Amino acid sequence: MRSIWNGAISFGLVSIPIKLVNATQNRSISFRQIHTEDGGRIRYRKVCELEDREVGQAEIGKGYEDADGTIVPITDEDLSHLPLPTARTIEIVAFVPADRIDPLQMDAAYYLAAGGAQAAKPYTLLREALKRSQKVAIAKYALRGRERLGMLRVVDDAIAMHGLLWPDEVRAPEGVAPDTPVTVNDKELDLADALMDTLGEIELEELHDEYREALEEVVAAKVSGEAPPETPEPARSGKVLDLMAALENSVRAAKESRGERPAETEEASGAREAEVRTLPQRKSARAAPKQTSGKKSAAGGKAAAKKTASSASSASSASSARKSTSKSAQGAKKTPAKSTAKTTAKKTAAKKTASRKRSA
């Protein structure tokens, strides 16, 4: 990469020879103005208003226009006497946290290349000091006839410098925010958060200039004599009448573009929750007349079944007992009392004989 400025970084009493290299490039396609009838180039000529003739670059100088329209000539000799200590020096004046820099101040970006082998050691020292401090350096430098403000930071193993606008060059956002009082409710914020989560993050390297690519296709088609590519129909967009509906549709469209299942709306989710809550009430209504929970209703049903079964068993036992009692009574009527007495005497004698054997 070709350097556009040579100088040094002033880091206290340490001087680091460096070369300034552009860190960005303009990839946009530029056009020439032509005469539509014959395709001839349209050029701008520098003409002196007083003499009405074209002048060359060697005859052109600088001038300052006063408020009344008077032009005051300014020569290079006049500019050479300006008190610019940063004429060939990037003078570091402070180190601050990176979040102290307003992104609105960001301007052009440059890489600072070490100017020779003798600059390797101090260059590396400054780079590592910036890494360890987790801060950026604020510096002043002169470029293209004016003093500028810059911010130095580490990018991989190199030191980069971002040109900064002076604080008084950034306008205050007065009259930009809407004057109409607006209230945003929680549901709208929740849907906005859902849309942000659905869109998610992206690697910036994946982004590209689609307009430039389409323009290149048009130019290539014209050069080869082919028909230009068809223009896709733009997406239809109407006025936002219902913000909630627009947010919901945006979330759904974002999910579909990623191949995911569309998110349910708040009303559908609430309806599903309401349906789940009513299920236990339907179960309890079928199990018992009282309004109880599903588990209690089921337990009550089982208990009632057990009680019914036990009642039926008790009734069956009672019936059997009555039948056996009646049979015993009938047998007792048929058997004489003497046989009963003999049977009792035999049982008593048998018990006495068994007890004597155990004691022996």
Side-chain angles (χ1 to χ4, degrees), residues 92-111:
I92 295 177
V93 296
F95 293 88
V96 300
D99 57 6
R100 287 272 303 275
I101 305 301
D102 189 344
L104 287 173
Q105 289 183 254
M106 294 287 189
D107 201 359
Y110 308 94
Y111 287 131

Side-chain angles (χ1 to χ4, degrees), residues 1 4 20-25 105-112 141 143-144 148-153 155 159-164:
M1 291 183 286
I4 61 173
L20 198 65
V21 178
N22 279 321
T24 60
Q25 57 182 338
Q105 289 183 254
M106 294 287 189
D107 201 359
Y110 308 94
Y111 287 131
L112 304 182
Y141 66 101
L143 182 64
R144 298 188 180 97
R148 302 170 187 264
L149 193 63
M151 178 191 75
L152 277 64
R153 68 183 184 96
V155 177
I159 299 176
M161 182 174 70
H162 295 268
L164 298 179

Side-chain angles (χ1 to χ4, degrees), residues 26 29 40 56 70 98 133 162 170 179 203 222 241 280 318 328 334:
N26 187 358
I29 298 176
T70 304
S133 67
H162 295 268
V170 179
D179 296 332
E203 295 293 335
K222 294 284 287 185
L241 301 179
S328 300
K334 293 179 181 179

Side-chain angles (χ1 to χ4, degrees), residues 17 62 119 235 239 275 283 302 321:
K62 298 182 182 69
K239 295 182 179 179
E275 185 178 350
K283 288 182 179 180
K302 291 181 180 179

Side-chain angles (χ1 to χ4, degrees), residues 317-357:
S317 300
S319 176
S320 300
R322 283 196 297 272
K323 289 179 181 180
S324 62
T325 303
S326 61
K327 287 182 180 179
S328 300
Q330 291 175 2
K333 288 179 183 179
K334 293 179 181 179
T335 305
K338 287 183 180 181
S339 63
T340 303
K342 287 180 180 181
T343 304
T344 304
K346 287 180 180 180
K347 289 182 178 180
T348 305
K351 287 182 179 179
K352 287 180 180 181
T353 304
S355 63
R356 286 196 194 112
K357 288 181 179 180

